[in-house]
């Protein structure tokens, strides 16, 4: 069964059997051809069915081979974790981490909703720059629609209307 992490069966003499079942714990959702639950190692657990809790980070943009390998999924987890380490940013909850082969990682926040382009490297530095930009925008009562951190000496911001 896809949800079973481990199962142990013990025979207890004279006439009892004890079962211990540990379920897999989903930590994210994979958006591929459908939605799938993912475990902490980046492996698919099972497809999402109607009525199930889907309040998890979404990982998207990966090819089938990248999903099978799980390396990119783990990188997406690590990126989200790095984002959450920033005291200012952790209050802007992530809804999705998207991979683009050319441009790298894009992040999408929940509330307020906007896109953050972080590329393929130096995430800690970029998150510090993002923090400065978002504080400045908040001070000016402006809301971003997109923040592109892929430039070494500048940040490109598109504002919400």
């Amino acid at each position: 069964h896809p949800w079973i992490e481990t199962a142990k069966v013990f025979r207890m003499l004279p006439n009892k059997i004890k079962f211990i079942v540990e379920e897999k714990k989903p930590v994210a959702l994979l958006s591929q051809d459908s939605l799938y639950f993912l475990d902490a190692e980046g492996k698919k657990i099972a497809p999402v069915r109607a009525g199930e809790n889907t309040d998890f980070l979404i990982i998207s943009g990966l090819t089938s081979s990248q999903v099978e390998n799980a390396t990119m999924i783990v990188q997406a987890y690590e990126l989200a974790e790095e984002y959450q380490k920033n005291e200012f940013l952790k209050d802007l909850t992530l809804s999705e981490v998207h991979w683009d082969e050319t441009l790298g990682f894009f992040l999408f926040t929940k509330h307020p909703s906007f896109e953050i382009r972080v590329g393929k490297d130096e995430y800690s530095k970029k998150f510090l720059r993002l923090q400065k930009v978002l504080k400045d925008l908040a001070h000016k009562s402006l809301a971003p629609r997109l923040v592109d951190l892929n430039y070494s000496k500048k940040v490109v911001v598109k504002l919400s209307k």
Side-chain angles (χ1 to χ4, degrees):
H1 190 276
W3 283 100
I4 296 178
E5 182 73 36
T6 60
K8 297 177 184 174
V9 180
F10 300 94
R11 181 174 173 209
M12 302 175 74
L13 296 175
N15 59 357
K16 292 186 181 180
I17 295 177
K18 180 178 180 179
F19 294 94
I20 299 175
V21 177
E22 183 183 344
E23 279 189 323
K24 292 182 181 176
K25 294 174 179 60
V27 298
L29 297 175
L30 172 68
S31 177
Q32 206 172 19
D33 53 341
S34 184
L35 276 180
Y36 298 89
F37 289 105
L38 293 171
D39 66 14
E41 286 79 43
K43 300 291 184 191
K44 281 186 191 178
I45 299 173
V48 174
R49 296 182 302 199
E52 290 183 308
N53 177 18
T54 57
D55 190 22
F56 295 97
L57 178 68
I58 297 170
I59 309 296
S60 64
L62 301 176
T63 65
S64 295
S65 62
Q66 288 170 324
V67 170
E68 192 66 33
N69 180 299
T71 304
M72 292 302 295
I73 295 172
V74 172
Q75 283 185 23
Y77 290 170
E78 290 168 353
L79 177 60
E81 190 176 305
E82 185 73 29
Y83 176 92
Q84 291 297 318
K85 285 180 185 175
N86 183 298
E87 285 297 315
F88 180 80
L89 298 177
K90 72 178 184 181
D91 293 332
L92 297 170
T93 307
L94 291 179
S95 64
E96 183 175 349
V97 177
H98 177 82
W99 172 251
D100 180 277
E101 201 63 45
T102 306
L103 301 173
F105 282 110
F106 296 8
L107 306 177
F108 296 89
T109 60
K110 281 186 182 179
H111 302 293
S113 179
F114 61 95
E115 177 183 341
I116 306 163
R117 295 183 183 174
V118 294
K120 299 181 179 183
D121 58 10
E122 298 184 330
Y123 304 124
S124 297
K125 285 183 184 178
K126 290 177 179 178
F127 290 150
L128 290 173
R129 289 172 40 215
L130 176 63
Q131 175 182 329
K132 289 178 186 176
V133 167
L134 293 178
K135 283 182 177 180
D136 184 57
L137 290 173
H139 180 70
K140 296 174 182 175
S141 298
L142 297 171
R145 183 169 42 107
L146 177 134
V147 180
D148 192 340
L149 303 167
N150 282 315
Y151 302 94
S152 60
K153 300 203 187 268
K154 65 180 179 178
V155 174
V156 175
V157 177
K158 290 186 181 178
L159 298 174
S160 292
K161 296 180 180 182

PDB file of all heavy atoms in Angstrom, residues 65-95:
ATOM      1  N   SER A  65      11.900  12.348 -15.220  1.00  0.00           N
ATOM      2  CA  SER A  65      13.178  11.810 -14.742  1.00  0.00           C
ATOM      3  C   SER A  65      13.661  12.560 -13.504  1.00  0.00           C
ATOM      4  O   SER A  65      14.250  11.971 -12.604  1.00  0.00           O
ATOM      5  CB  SER A  65      14.240  11.840 -15.841  1.00  0.00           C
ATOM      6  OG  SER A  65      14.498  13.159 -16.250  1.00  0.00           O
ATOM      7  N   GLN A  66      13.415  13.876 -13.425  1.00  0.00           N
ATOM      8  CA  GLN A  66      13.784  14.642 -12.230  1.00  0.00           C
ATOM      9  C   GLN A  66      12.954  14.200 -11.025  1.00  0.00           C
ATOM     10  O   GLN A  66      13.458  14.141  -9.906  1.00  0.00           O
ATOM     11  CB  GLN A  66      13.605  16.143 -12.470  1.00  0.00           C
ATOM     12  CG  GLN A  66      14.637  16.729 -13.403  1.00  0.00           C
ATOM     13  CD  GLN A  66      14.308  18.153 -13.810  1.00  0.00           C
ATOM     14  OE1 GLN A  66      13.145  18.515 -13.994  1.00  0.00           O
ATOM     15  NE2 GLN A  66      15.343  18.970 -13.968  1.00  0.00           N
ATOM     16  N   VAL A  67      11.699  13.865 -11.262  1.00  0.00           N
ATOM     17  CA  VAL A  67      10.834  13.377 -10.184  1.00  0.00           C
ATOM     18  C   VAL A  67      11.310  12.007  -9.733  1.00  0.00           C
ATOM     19  O   VAL A  67      11.406  11.734  -8.533  1.00  0.00           O
ATOM     20  CB  VAL A  67       9.355  13.330 -10.633  1.00  0.00           C
ATOM     21  CG1 VAL A  67       8.507  12.594  -9.619  1.00  0.00           C
ATOM     22  CG2 VAL A  67       8.829  14.738 -10.864  1.00  0.00           C
ATOM     23  N   GLU A  68      11.640  11.153 -10.678  1.00  0.00           N
ATOM     24  CA  GLU A  68      12.098   9.808 -10.357  1.00  0.00           C
ATOM     25  C   GLU A  68      13.386   9.845  -9.541  1.00  0.00           C
ATOM     26  O   GLU A  68      13.551   9.113  -8.575  1.00  0.00           O
ATOM     27  CB  GLU A  68      12.320   9.017 -11.656  1.00  0.00           C
ATOM     28  CG  GLU A  68      12.521   7.551 -11.449  1.00  0.00           C
ATOM     29  CD  GLU A  68      11.295   6.833 -10.911  1.00  0.00           C
ATOM     30  OE1 GLU A  68      10.160   7.235 -11.246  1.00  0.00           O
ATOM     31  OE2 GLU A  68      11.475   5.880 -10.142  1.00  0.00           O
ATOM     32  N   ASN A  69      14.302  10.719  -9.919  1.00  0.00           N
ATOM     33  CA  ASN A  69      15.587  10.861  -9.238  1.00  0.00           C
ATOM     34  C   ASN A  69      15.416  11.504  -7.863  1.00  0.00           C
ATOM     35  O   ASN A  69      16.154  11.212  -6.940  1.00  0.00           O
ATOM     36  CB  ASN A  69      16.523  11.695 -10.120  1.00  0.00           C
ATOM     37  CG  ASN A  69      17.882  11.905  -9.520  1.00  0.00           C
ATOM     38  OD1 ASN A  69      18.009  12.488  -8.451  1.00  0.00           O
ATOM     39  ND2 ASN A  69      18.897  11.452 -10.222  1.00  0.00           N
ATOM     40  N   ALA A  70      14.474  12.424  -7.719  1.00  0.00           N
ATOM     41  CA  ALA A  70      14.119  13.125  -6.472  1.00  0.00           C
ATOM     42  C   ALA A  70      15.132  14.181  -6.031  1.00  0.00           C
ATOM     43  O   ALA A  70      14.879  14.906  -5.084  1.00  0.00           O
ATOM     44  CB  ALA A  70      13.849  12.154  -5.326  1.00  0.00           C
ATOM     45  N   THR A  71      16.265  14.313  -6.714  1.00  0.00           N
ATOM     46  CA  THR A  71      17.276  15.300  -6.323  1.00  0.00           C
ATOM     47  C   THR A  71      16.724  16.723  -6.394  1.00  0.00           C
ATOM     48  O   THR A  71      16.943  17.526  -5.493  1.00  0.00           O
ATOM     49  CB  THR A  71      18.532  15.172  -7.221  1.00  0.00           C
ATOM     50  OG1 THR A  71      19.000  13.834  -7.142  1.00  0.00           O
ATOM     51  CG2 THR A  71      19.618  16.116  -6.788  1.00  0.00           C
ATOM     52  N   MET A  72      16.017  17.040  -7.464  1.00  0.00           N
ATOM     53  CA  MET A  72      15.467  18.394  -7.627  1.00  0.00           C
ATOM     54  C   MET A  72      14.365  18.672  -6.596  1.00  0.00           C
ATOM     55  O   MET A  72      14.212  19.804  -6.155  1.00  0.00           O
ATOM     56  CB  MET A  72      14.933  18.598  -9.048  1.00  0.00           C
ATOM     57  CG  MET A  72      16.017  18.612 -10.112  1.00  0.00           C
ATOM     58  SD  MET A  72      17.277  19.885  -9.844  1.00  0.00           S
ATOM     59  CE  MET A  72      16.327  21.362 -10.027  1.00  0.00           C
ATOM     60  N   ILE A  73      13.631  17.651  -6.237  1.00  0.00           N
ATOM     61  CA  ILE A  73      12.596  17.837  -5.211  1.00  0.00           C
ATOM     62  C   ILE A  73      13.256  18.170  -3.880  1.00  0.00           C
ATOM     63  O   ILE A  73      12.837  19.104  -3.184  1.00  0.00           O
ATOM     64  CB  ILE A  73      11.702  16.586  -5.089  1.00  0.00           C
ATOM     65  CG1 ILE A  73      10.906  16.381  -6.379  1.00  0.00           C
ATOM     66  CG2 ILE A  73      10.766  16.700  -3.888  1.00  0.00           C
ATOM     67  CD1 ILE A  73      10.136  15.088  -6.453  1.00  0.00           C
ATOM     68  N   VAL A  74      14.311  17.456  -3.544  1.00  0.00           N
ATOM     69  CA  VAL A  74      15.042  17.732  -2.299  1.00  0.00           C
ATOM     70  C   VAL A  74      15.656  19.132  -2.353  1.00  0.00           C
ATOM     71  O   VAL A  74      15.633  19.860  -1.355  1.00  0.00           O
ATOM     72  CB  VAL A  74      16.102  16.641  -2.033  1.00  0.00           C
ATOM     73  CG1 VAL A  74      16.999  17.014  -0.870  1.00  0.00           C
ATOM     74  CG2 VAL A  74      15.415  15.304  -1.772  1.00  0.00           C
ATOM     75  N   GLN A  75      16.154  19.553  -3.510  1.00  0.00           N
ATOM     76  CA  GLN A  75      16.675  20.925  -3.646  1.00  0.00           C
ATOM     77  C   GLN A  75      15.570  21.946  -3.423  1.00  0.00           C
ATOM     78  O   GLN A  75      15.791  22.983  -2.791  1.00  0.00           O
ATOM     79  CB  GLN A  75      17.311  21.132  -5.018  1.00  0.00           C
ATOM     80  CG  GLN A  75      18.672  20.526  -5.166  1.00  0.00           C
ATOM     81  CD  GLN A  75      19.309  20.865  -6.507  1.00  0.00           C
ATOM     82  OE1 GLN A  75      18.964  21.844  -7.152  1.00  0.00           O
ATOM     83  NE2 GLN A  75      20.244  20.031  -6.930  1.00  0.00           N
ATOM     84  N   ALA A  76      14.378  21.664  -3.932  1.00  0.00           N
ATOM     85  CA  ALA A  76      13.238  22.560  -3.719  1.00  0.00           C
ATOM     86  C   ALA A  76      12.895  22.641  -2.230  1.00  0.00           C
ATOM     87  O   ALA A  76      12.618  23.725  -1.704  1.00  0.00           O
ATOM     88  CB  ALA A  76      12.031  22.088  -4.524  1.00  0.00           C
ATOM     89  N   TYR A  77      12.931  21.497  -1.526  1.00  0.00           N
ATOM     90  CA  TYR A  77      12.704  21.492  -0.081  1.00  0.00           C
ATOM     91  C   TYR A  77      13.747  22.354   0.629  1.00  0.00           C
ATOM     92  O   TYR A  77      13.424  23.137   1.521  1.00  0.00           O
ATOM     93  CB  TYR A  77      12.816  20.079   0.498  1.00  0.00           C
ATOM     94  CG  TYR A  77      11.724  19.096   0.143  1.00  0.00           C
ATOM     95  CD1 TYR A  77      11.883  17.756   0.471  1.00  0.00           C
ATOM     96  CD2 TYR A  77      10.557  19.473  -0.497  1.00  0.00           C
ATOM     97  CE1 TYR A  77      10.907  16.822   0.175  1.00  0.00           C
ATOM     98  CE2 TYR A  77       9.589  18.545  -0.801  1.00  0.00           C
ATOM     99  CZ  TYR A  77       9.761  17.223  -0.464  1.00  0.00           C
ATOM    100  OH  TYR A  77       8.795  16.300  -0.759  1.00  0.00           O
ATOM    101  N   GLU A  78      15.017  22.173   0.249  1.00  0.00           N
ATOM    102  CA  GLU A  78      16.102  22.925   0.887  1.00  0.00           C
ATOM    103  C   GLU A  78      15.971  24.418   0.633  1.00  0.00           C
ATOM    104  O   GLU A  78      16.236  25.234   1.513  1.00  0.00           O
ATOM    105  CB  GLU A  78      17.455  22.408   0.395  1.00  0.00           C
ATOM    106  CG  GLU A  78      17.773  21.019   0.913  1.00  0.00           C
ATOM    107  CD  GLU A  78      18.962  20.361   0.229  1.00  0.00           C
ATOM    108  OE1 GLU A  78      19.500  20.936  -0.767  1.00  0.00           O
ATOM    109  OE2 GLU A  78      19.365  19.261   0.671  1.00  0.00           O
ATOM    110  N   LEU A  79      15.551  24.780  -0.567  1.00  0.00           N
ATOM    111  CA  LEU A  79      15.323  26.187  -0.899  1.00  0.00           C
ATOM    112  C   LEU A  79      14.208  26.766  -0.026  1.00  0.00           C
ATOM    113  O   LEU A  79      14.345  27.858   0.538  1.00  0.00           O
ATOM    114  CB  LEU A  79      14.985  26.333  -2.373  1.00  0.00           C
ATOM    115  CG  LEU A  79      14.641  27.736  -2.863  1.00  0.00           C
ATOM    116  CD1 LEU A  79      15.792  28.700  -2.649  1.00  0.00           C
ATOM    117  CD2 LEU A  79      14.244  27.694  -4.329  1.00  0.00           C
ATOM    118  N   ALA A  80      13.117  26.040   0.097  1.00  0.00           N
ATOM    119  CA  ALA A  80      12.001  26.496   0.935  1.00  0.00           C
ATOM    120  C   ALA A  80      12.444  26.618   2.390  1.00  0.00           C
ATOM    121  O   ALA A  80      12.057  27.561   3.091  1.00  0.00           O
ATOM    122  CB  ALA A  80      10.819  25.538   0.812  1.00  0.00           C
ATOM    123  N   GLU A  81      13.272  25.695   2.846  1.00  0.00           N
ATOM    124  CA  GLU A  81      13.788  25.743   4.217  1.00  0.00           C
ATOM    125  C   GLU A  81      14.696  26.958   4.421  1.00  0.00           C
ATOM    126  O   GLU A  81      14.606  27.643   5.439  1.00  0.00           O
ATOM    127  CB  GLU A  81      14.559  24.453   4.507  1.00  0.00           C
ATOM    128  CG  GLU A  81      14.947  24.277   5.958  1.00  0.00           C
ATOM    129  CD  GLU A  81      15.629  22.945   6.186  1.00  0.00           C
ATOM    130  OE1 GLU A  81      15.040  21.906   5.829  1.00  0.00           O
ATOM    131  OE2 GLU A  81      16.750  22.950   6.720  1.00  0.00           O
ATOM    132  N   GLU A  82      15.538  27.233   3.444  1.00  0.00           N
ATOM    133  CA  GLU A  82      16.423  28.410   3.502  1.00  0.00           C
ATOM    134  C   GLU A  82      15.589  29.694   3.564  1.00  0.00           C
ATOM    135  O   GLU A  82      15.887  30.614   4.306  1.00  0.00           O
ATOM    136  CB  GLU A  82      17.344  28.429   2.280  1.00  0.00           C
ATOM    137  CG  GLU A  82      18.374  29.519   2.281  1.00  0.00           C
ATOM    138  CD  GLU A  82      19.498  29.283   3.269  1.00  0.00           C
ATOM    139  OE1 GLU A  82      19.812  28.114   3.560  1.00  0.00           O
ATOM    140  OE2 GLU A  82      20.062  30.278   3.753  1.00  0.00           O
ATOM    141  N   TYR A  83      14.525  29.741   2.779  1.00  0.00           N
ATOM    142  CA  TYR A  83      13.597  30.874   2.770  1.00  0.00           C
ATOM    143  C   TYR A  83      12.994  31.061   4.167  1.00  0.00           C
ATOM    144  O   TYR A  83      12.935  32.167   4.691  1.00  0.00           O
ATOM    145  CB  TYR A  83      12.515  30.622   1.727  1.00  0.00           C
ATOM    146  CG  TYR A  83      11.426  31.659   1.660  1.00  0.00           C
ATOM    147  CD1 TYR A  83      11.526  32.735   0.793  1.00  0.00           C
ATOM    148  CD2 TYR A  83      10.282  31.552   2.446  1.00  0.00           C
ATOM    149  CE1 TYR A  83      10.516  33.690   0.713  1.00  0.00           C
ATOM    150  CE2 TYR A  83       9.276  32.482   2.371  1.00  0.00           C
ATOM    151  CZ  TYR A  83       9.391  33.557   1.511  1.00  0.00           C
ATOM    152  OH  TYR A  83       8.390  34.497   1.452  1.00  0.00           O
ATOM    153  N   GLN A  84      12.554  29.962   4.773  1.00  0.00           N
ATOM    154  CA  GLN A  84      11.896  30.022   6.079  1.00  0.00           C
ATOM    155  C   GLN A  84      12.846  30.428   7.203  1.00  0.00           C
ATOM    156  O   GLN A  84      12.398  30.879   8.255  1.00  0.00           O
ATOM    157  CB  GLN A  84      11.259  28.672   6.416  1.00  0.00           C
ATOM    158  CG  GLN A  84      10.072  28.324   5.546  1.00  0.00           C
ATOM    159  CD  GLN A  84       8.926  29.300   5.699  1.00  0.00           C
ATOM    160  OE1 GLN A  84       8.596  29.733   6.792  1.00  0.00           O
ATOM    161  NE2 GLN A  84       8.320  29.680   4.587  1.00  0.00           N
ATOM    162  N   LYS A  85      14.159  30.263   7.014  1.00  0.00           N
ATOM    163  CA  LYS A  85      15.131  30.651   8.041  1.00  0.00           C
ATOM    164  C   LYS A  85      15.207  32.158   8.216  1.00  0.00           C
ATOM    165  O   LYS A  85      15.601  32.643   9.267  1.00  0.00           O
ATOM    166  CB  LYS A  85      16.529  30.132   7.680  1.00  0.00           C
ATOM    167  CG  LYS A  85      16.715  28.664   7.898  1.00  0.00           C
ATOM    168  CD  LYS A  85      18.138  28.273   7.518  1.00  0.00           C
ATOM    169  CE  LYS A  85      18.345  26.788   7.594  1.00  0.00           C
ATOM    170  NZ  LYS A  85      19.676  26.390   7.115  1.00  0.00           N
ATOM    171  N   ASN A  86      14.832  32.913   7.177  1.00  0.00           N
ATOM    172  CA  ASN A  86      14.864  34.359   7.250  1.00  0.00           C
ATOM    173  C   ASN A  86      13.699  34.840   8.114  1.00  0.00           C
ATOM    174  O   ASN A  86      12.536  34.571   7.796  1.00  0.00           O
ATOM    175  CB  ASN A  86      14.788  34.956   5.839  1.00  0.00           C
ATOM    176  CG  ASN A  86      14.889  36.454   5.827  1.00  0.00           C
ATOM    177  OD1 ASN A  86      14.049  37.148   6.387  1.00  0.00           O
ATOM    178  ND2 ASN A  86      15.917  36.960   5.163  1.00  0.00           N
ATOM    179  N   GLU A  87      14.004  35.520   9.202  1.00  0.00           N
ATOM    180  CA  GLU A  87      12.980  35.957  10.170  1.00  0.00           C
ATOM    181  C   GLU A  87      11.890  36.799   9.522  1.00  0.00           C
ATOM    182  O   GLU A  87      10.724  36.699   9.876  1.00  0.00           O
ATOM    183  CB  GLU A  87      13.625  36.726  11.318  1.00  0.00           C
ATOM    184  CG  GLU A  87      14.359  35.852  12.299  1.00  0.00           C
ATOM    185  CD  GLU A  87      13.456  34.868  13.016  1.00  0.00           C
ATOM    186  OE1 GLU A  87      12.368  35.257  13.475  1.00  0.00           O
ATOM    187  OE2 GLU A  87      13.825  33.683  13.106  1.00  0.00           O
ATOM    188  N   PHE A  88      12.257  37.652   8.578  1.00  0.00           N
ATOM    189  CA  PHE A  88      11.278  38.524   7.921  1.00  0.00           C
ATOM    190  C   PHE A  88      10.429  37.744   6.925  1.00  0.00           C
ATOM    191  O   PHE A  88       9.213  37.906   6.873  1.00  0.00           O
ATOM    192  CB  PHE A  88      11.995  39.683   7.212  1.00  0.00           C
ATOM    193  CG  PHE A  88      11.061  40.632   6.519  1.00  0.00           C
ATOM    194  CD1 PHE A  88      10.381  41.602   7.236  1.00  0.00           C
ATOM    195  CD2 PHE A  88      10.869  40.559   5.151  1.00  0.00           C
ATOM    196  CE1 PHE A  88       9.515  42.479   6.600  1.00  0.00           C
ATOM    197  CE2 PHE A  88      10.008  41.426   4.501  1.00  0.00           C
ATOM    198  CZ  PHE A  88       9.328  42.395   5.226  1.00  0.00           C
ATOM    199  N   LEU A  89      11.060  36.891   6.143  1.00  0.00           N
ATOM    200  CA  LEU A  89      10.363  36.183   5.065  1.00  0.00           C
ATOM    201  C   LEU A  89       9.463  35.067   5.551  1.00  0.00           C
ATOM    202  O   LEU A  89       8.479  34.733   4.886  1.00  0.00           O
ATOM    203  CB  LEU A  89      11.375  35.620   4.063  1.00  0.00           C
ATOM    204  CG  LEU A  89      12.248  36.640   3.340  1.00  0.00           C
ATOM    205  CD1 LEU A  89      13.242  35.929   2.438  1.00  0.00           C
ATOM    206  CD2 LEU A  89      11.414  37.634   2.560  1.00  0.00           C
ATOM    207  N   LYS A  90       9.780  34.479   6.703  1.00  0.00           N
ATOM    208  CA  LYS A  90       8.998  33.314   7.151  1.00  0.00           C
ATOM    209  C   LYS A  90       7.517  33.630   7.346  1.00  0.00           C
ATOM    210  O   LYS A  90       6.686  32.741   7.291  1.00  0.00           O
ATOM    211  CB  LYS A  90       9.596  32.703   8.413  1.00  0.00           C
ATOM    212  CG  LYS A  90       9.417  33.509   9.660  1.00  0.00           C
ATOM    213  CD  LYS A  90      10.010  32.774  10.836  1.00  0.00           C
ATOM    214  CE  LYS A  90       9.750  33.553  12.106  1.00  0.00           C
ATOM    215  NZ  LYS A  90      10.312  32.895  13.250  1.00  0.00           N
ATOM    216  N   ASP A  91       7.184  34.912   7.526  1.00  0.00           N
ATOM    217  CA  ASP A  91       5.784  35.303   7.665  1.00  0.00           C
ATOM    218  C   ASP A  91       5.062  35.374   6.313  1.00  0.00           C
ATOM    219  O   ASP A  91       3.843  35.445   6.263  1.00  0.00           O
ATOM    220  CB  ASP A  91       5.671  36.645   8.390  1.00  0.00           C
ATOM    221  CG  ASP A  91       6.125  36.536   9.838  1.00  0.00           C
ATOM    222  OD1 ASP A  91       6.013  35.443  10.422  1.00  0.00           O
ATOM    223  OD2 ASP A  91       6.607  37.549  10.375  1.00  0.00           O
ATOM    224  N   LEU A  92       5.830  35.392   5.228  1.00  0.00           N
ATOM    225  CA  LEU A  92       5.255  35.363   3.884  1.00  0.00           C
ATOM    226  C   LEU A  92       5.303  33.912   3.396  1.00  0.00           C
ATOM    227  O   LEU A  92       6.232  33.483   2.739  1.00  0.00           O
ATOM    228  CB  LEU A  92       6.054  36.265   2.933  1.00  0.00           C
ATOM    229  CG  LEU A  92       6.058  37.749   3.270  1.00  0.00           C
ATOM    230  CD1 LEU A  92       7.076  38.480   2.416  1.00  0.00           C
ATOM    231  CD2 LEU A  92       4.677  38.330   3.096  1.00  0.00           C
ATOM    232  N   THR A  93       4.295  33.151   3.748  1.00  0.00           N
ATOM    233  CA  THR A  93       4.261  31.711   3.501  1.00  0.00           C
ATOM    234  C   THR A  93       4.354  31.386   2.013  1.00  0.00           C
ATOM    235  O   THR A  93       3.686  32.011   1.189  1.00  0.00           O
ATOM    236  CB  THR A  93       2.962  31.119   4.071  1.00  0.00           C
ATOM    237  OG1 THR A  93       2.846  31.503   5.431  1.00  0.00           O
ATOM    238  CG2 THR A  93       2.951  29.608   3.974  1.00  0.00           C
ATOM    239  N   LEU A  94       5.171  30.388   1.705  1.00  0.00           N
ATOM    240  CA  LEU A  94       5.290  29.926   0.325  1.00  0.00           C
ATOM    241  C   LEU A  94       4.141  28.992  -0.022  1.00  0.00           C
ATOM    242  O   LEU A  94       3.749  28.152   0.780  1.00  0.00           O
ATOM    243  CB  LEU A  94       6.610  29.175   0.122  1.00  0.00           C
ATOM    244  CG  LEU A  94       7.889  29.987   0.181  1.00  0.00           C
ATOM    245  CD1 LEU A  94       9.094  29.075  -0.028  1.00  0.00           C
ATOM    246  CD2 LEU A  94       7.887  31.095  -0.844  1.00  0.00           C
ATOM    247  N   SER A  95       3.629  29.136  -1.247  1.00  0.00           N
ATOM    248  CA  SER A  95       2.616  28.196  -1.724  1.00  0.00           C
ATOM    249  C   SER A  95       3.207  27.240  -2.749  1.00  0.00           C
ATOM    250  O   SER A  95       2.759  26.102  -2.865  1.00  0.00           O
ATOM    251  CB  SER A  95       1.428  28.936  -2.333  1.00  0.00           C
ATOM    252  OG  SER A  95       1.823  29.653  -3.482  1.00  0.00           O
TER     253      SER A  95
END
